[in-house]
Amino acid sequence: MKNTLIVIPTYNEAENIEAIVRQLLSIDTSYHVVVVDDSSPDGTGSIVKAVISEYPDRIFLETRPKKEGLGRAYLHAFKWALLKGYNYIFEIDADFSHNPNDIPRMQERLIKGADVVIGSRYIDGINVINWPLGRILLSLGASYYVKFFTGLPVKDPTAGFVGYKAEVLNAIDLDSVKFVGYAFQIELKYKAWIKGFNLQEVSIIFLNRAKGQSKMNGSIIWEAIYGVVYLRIKSLFKYKS
């Protein structure tokens, strides 16, 4: 079986994509990368194709017809990864806010018994660099909000730097995943937790992007606010039925 797949969702990441792909491929020869590009008008996909010509067996491009949100891109990649037989599937942002060099120690947790490993900004203080205070408070507030409503025992439930064992994604009904933005990360962790999987956090340092534009917007934040309540209510009705 194949070992490790790293998923990078992209929309207008031409300034970052080649550098992060090359760094990931240099870390470990067993790593494969799939870029899921939502038809970026800035040529992100063309850059990936050029790198594929050098590493045809280790990097792959899945091009989607339009921008549909982070969650849909990841779900596309997860289904692709399961069909291809990968053991470990990682999420990582294209903009270097997550350090690719953290993946080996995160994967070590999966090897040693974790089912889901989360690159956490808050397990060891507040490890965020170059975020404005308002963004930090929003993120911390979201973390407390999620824990209050769901009981999810995770300090950074909105984290987007996550590794899954394949059996976790197989156990989750991916077609039932509702959310596409900020709430997607919460929903996946919550569904894994209520199914009894072992979630562990690893401390990372989160660095705000230096190139390109953030995809955060008001609709993503509102989705997370009502999404948390939706997940909790749905799970309560499920267990009562």
Side-chain angles (χ1 to χ4, degrees):
M1 292 181 69
K2 298 179 180 68
N3 192 10
T4 303
L5 180 72
I6 301 157
V7 180
I8 309 175
T10 56
Y11 186 77
N12 287 347
E13 292 289 355
E15 295 177 277
N16 296 304
I17 191 62
E18 181 173 358
I20 194 163
V21 165
R22 289 188 181 279
Q23 185 170 341
L24 286 165
L25 295 177
S26 72
I27 292 170
D28 192 306
T29 57
S30 72
Y31 289 177
H32 290 185
V33 175
V34 62
V35 176
V36 183
D37 185 59
D38 282 359
S39 295
S40 298
D42 71 347
T44 298
S46 297
I47 295 170
V48 175
K49 289 177 182 177
V51 183
I52 288 174
S53 67
E54 297 179 46
Y55 301 93
D57 299 322
R58 296 183 60 202
I59 179 169
F60 309 93
L61 174 65
E62 291 287 296
T63 303
R64 290 156 43 80
K66 62 181 180 179
K67 185 180 180 183
E68 291 186 312
L70 183 76
R72 293 292 172 259
Y74 273 130
L75 291 175
H76 180 103
F78 291 164
K79 293 176 182 179
W80 186 91
L82 294 175
L83 285 173
K84 299 292 184 181
Y86 287 93
N87 300 40
Y88 307 108
I89 299 98
F90 281 86
E91 304 175 356
I92 192 169
D93 289 348
D95 60 7
F96 285 97
S97 56
H98 306 138
N99 185 345
N101 292 318
D102 286 327
I103 291 179
R105 63 190 181 92
M106 292 172 68
Q107 184 164 1
E108 188 67 19
R109 288 289 190 96
L110 295 177
I111 293 169
K112 290 184 176 179
D115 299 309
V116 180
V117 61
I118 300 157
S120 177
R121 296 162 289 187
Y122 307 127
I123 193 71
D124 183 24
I126 301 175
N127 292 326
V128 177
I129 296 176
N130 291 337
W131 255 11
L133 179 59
R135 185 76 183 271
I136 294 174
L137 292 176
L138 175 64
S139 179
L140 282 171
S143 298
Y144 288 118
Y145 177 78
V146 171
K147 189 169 184 178
F148 175 79
F149 275 102
T150 68
L152 182 65
V154 170
K155 289 191 174 182
D156 195 357
T158 64
F161 195 8
V162 187
Y164 294 93
K165 284 183 177 175
E167 50 261 45
V168 177
L169 299 178
N170 271 315
I172 294 172
D173 179 7
L174 296 178
D175 289 329
S176 74
V177 174
K178 177 178 176 62
F179 300 109
V180 300
Y182 210 45
F184 169 82
Q185 299 294 358
I186 303 166
E187 184 174 3
L188 264 287
K189 296 178 186 72
Y190 184 69
K191 288 188 171 185
W193 176 61
I194 62 176
K195 285 184 175 292
F197 288 107
N198 179 9
L199 281 62
Q200 295 184 18
E201 292 181 90
V202 170
S203 182
I204 64 158
I205 295 174
F206 181 94
L207 179 65
N208 194 26
R209 69 162 61 231
K211 298 179 180 179
Q213 294 185 343
S214 172
K215 312 304 186 294
M216 178 65 69
N217 58 48
S219 64
I220 291 173
I221 295 170
W222 279 111
E223 180 194 63
I225 291 172
Y226 81 78
V228 168
V229 178
Y230 170 88
L231 289 172
R232 182 56 177 161
I233 291 173
K234 185 177 180 181
S235 69
L236 288 173
F237 277 106
K238 180 177 179 181
Y239 287 125
K240 286 180 180 180
S241 61

